[in-house]
Amino acid sequence: MQKFCLAIHGGAGTILKEDMTPELEKEYREGLAAALKAGYTVLEKGGAALNAVKTAVMSLEDNPLFNAGKGAVFTKKGVNELDAAIMDGQTLDAGAVAGVRNVRNPVLLAEEVMKHSGHIFLVGKGANDFAIKRGVELEPDEYFFTQHRYDQWREIRDSDFYKLDQGSDRLVSLLKNKKFGTVGAVACDSSGNVAAATSTGGMTNKRYGRVGDSPIIGIGTYANNKTCAVSCTGYGEIFIKAVAAYDVSCLMEYKNFSLQEACEEVVKKKLVAMGGEGGLVGVDAKGNHALVFNSAGMYRAFQNSEGESAVEIYANS
Ligand code: ASP
């Protein structure tokens, strides 16, 4: 029987046990477990990988701990601009949005783009107009507000710093103490189809309509039944230069790397050499998974039909 599997992440970075309270750690683990359960239930019932990744990402978007949907970081102007993408590895159909406002679940809008726009990538006001046309659920600005994100932004809003960070109360530059709170999911279903989805608020204090890697097909998100499905989190600009997700797929397609080997080559060699801190989750069409990062930690979890599962945060647990 075809093995099926779901893997998710809630961001990577300088996530250290000594910076975490037991209560907060418990909340993160529960948030990951809830998203894993929601997505895995879809697979268990024989559902499609695409629905599983969408369901898992929606759960993480609704959780204020993670930098996606509710709880997204603030831009320089003090608003929330959201990016998301989804891709179906069976058809290579994909949908993505960037810089959208007030959309409760950006991953749902990305799916609408994939299925009903005739396009793949919509941005800004146009994407919001499309959300209204499709009846995608919107929320007022207050819905997205969380005190900790607001405080993070208030610390640096008058500076030129931008912050690839979530959860830390320290001012950080691009060079130290980075945390990346993007969320993502990849799945292989019982038919051997793979899918990937990623959603983010980007970086605190971002401006000029900055968009990172997350919603870009082939960079932060990619799925192809021939190889794998990948969702990334990390320093978006470097992931873009590295063409990260597609590079994993290419190593498998053209060089016969296994999923694990391909992920390690990109995350632990290529991205490290370029200064690209972060990680990714991947599955291949045989239901194998990889959770690979080059930072201190990555919020991550997986479950497969062989009865294996884990919810982990730090390098060793
Ligand atoms: N990759 C995201 C970005 O650059 C950040 C993250 O992973 O948290 O927008």
Side-chain angles (χ1 to χ4, degrees), residues 117-129:
S117 73
H119 302 293
I120 287 182
F121 201 172
L122 302 184
V123 303
K125 184 173 181 311
N128 266 96
D129 290 346

Side-chain angles (χ1 to χ4, degrees), residues 67 164 180-182 200 202-203 210 212-214 232-237:
N67 174 20
L164 283 155
F180 312 95
T182 293
T200 189
M203 45 166 67
R210 181 267 181 190
D213 59 309
S214 310
C232 300
T233 175
Y235 183 175
E237 278 68 6

Side-chain angles (χ1 to χ4, degrees), residues 184-256:
V186 290
C188 173
D189 63 28
S190 53
S191 305
N193 294 318
V194 300
T198 311
S199 183
T200 189
M203 45 166 67
T204 298
N205 220 29
K206 67 184 182 180
R207 55 183 168 172
Y208 311 128
R210 181 267 181 190
V211 177
D213 59 309
S214 310
I216 307 179
I217 299 303
I219 312 275
T221 308
Y222 187 69
N224 186 338
N225 273 9
K226 265 206 243 171
T227 53
C228 61
V230 172
S231 171
C232 300
T233 175
Y235 183 175
E237 278 68 6
I238 308 292
F239 278 63
I240 294 172
K241 287 197 213 179
V243 198
Y246 186 58
D247 216 26
V248 172
S249 175
C250 285
L251 287 168
M252 294 176 69
E253 184 170 1
Y254 304 123
K255 294 266 192 188
N256 283 323

Side-chain angles (χ1 to χ4, degrees), residues 88-301:
D88 181 347
Q90 186 183 12
T91 57
L92 302 184
D93 286 340
V97 293
V100 295
R101 304 269 323 270
N102 302 98
V103 175
R104 183 185 174 105
N105 291 110
V107 73
L108 275 186
L109 181 57
E111 189 190 32
E112 289 290 318
V113 170
M114 174 171 93
K115 292 188 171 162
H116 302 291
S117 73
H119 302 293
I120 287 182
F121 201 172
L122 302 184
V123 303
K125 184 173 181 311
N128 266 96
D129 290 346
F130 180 71
I132 292 166
K133 185 171 169 212
R134 293 298 309 167
V136 171
E137 196 175 351
L138 301 178
E139 297 285 355
D141 288 351
E142 302 77 68
Y143 169 83
F144 298 90
F145 180 93
T146 50
Q147 192 63 46
H148 73 288
R149 298 280 182 231
Y150 185 76
D151 293 344
Q152 281 175 346
W153 169 67
R154 223 174 29 181
E155 268 185 47
I156 59 170
R157 68 182 169 190
D158 297 325
S159 74
D160 284 336
F161 284 114
Y162 55 104
K163 198 171 178 181
L164 283 155
D165 185 352
Q166 69 110 26
S168 166
D169 57 0
R170 280 168 288 178
L171 175 64
V172 294
S173 73
L174 274 177
L175 299 175
K176 57 175 185 161
N177 267 336
K178 296 181 291 293
K179 289 182 191 154
F180 312 95
T182 293
V183 308
V186 290
C188 173
D189 63 28
S190 53
S191 305
N193 294 318
V194 300
T198 311
S199 183
T200 189
M203 45 166 67
T204 298
N205 220 29
K206 67 184 182 180
R207 55 183 168 172
Y208 311 128
R210 181 267 181 190
V211 177
D213 59 309
S214 310
I216 307 179
I217 299 303
I219 312 275
T221 308
Y222 187 69
N224 186 338
N225 273 9
K226 265 206 243 171
T227 53
C228 61
V230 172
S231 171
C232 300
T233 175
Y235 183 175
E237 278 68 6
I238 308 292
F239 278 63
I240 294 172
K241 287 197 213 179
V243 198
Y246 186 58
D247 216 26
V248 172
S249 175
C250 285
L251 287 168
M252 294 176 69
E253 184 170 1
Y254 304 123
K255 294 266 192 188
N256 283 323
F257 279 42
S258 70
L259 174 72
Q260 186 71 32
E261 286 167 348
C263 292
E264 290 198 4
E265 181 73 25
V266 171
V267 175
K268 297 203 167 160
K269 291 191 187 157
K270 185 175 181 180
L271 281 166
V272 167
M274 297 170 79
E277 187 179 349
L280 54 79
V281 293
V283 292
D284 66 18
K286 294 192 191 94
N288 300 311
H289 70 278
L291 315 168
V292 181
F293 52 101
N294 61 33
S295 45
M298 180 165 81
Y299 298 111
R300 62 199 187 279

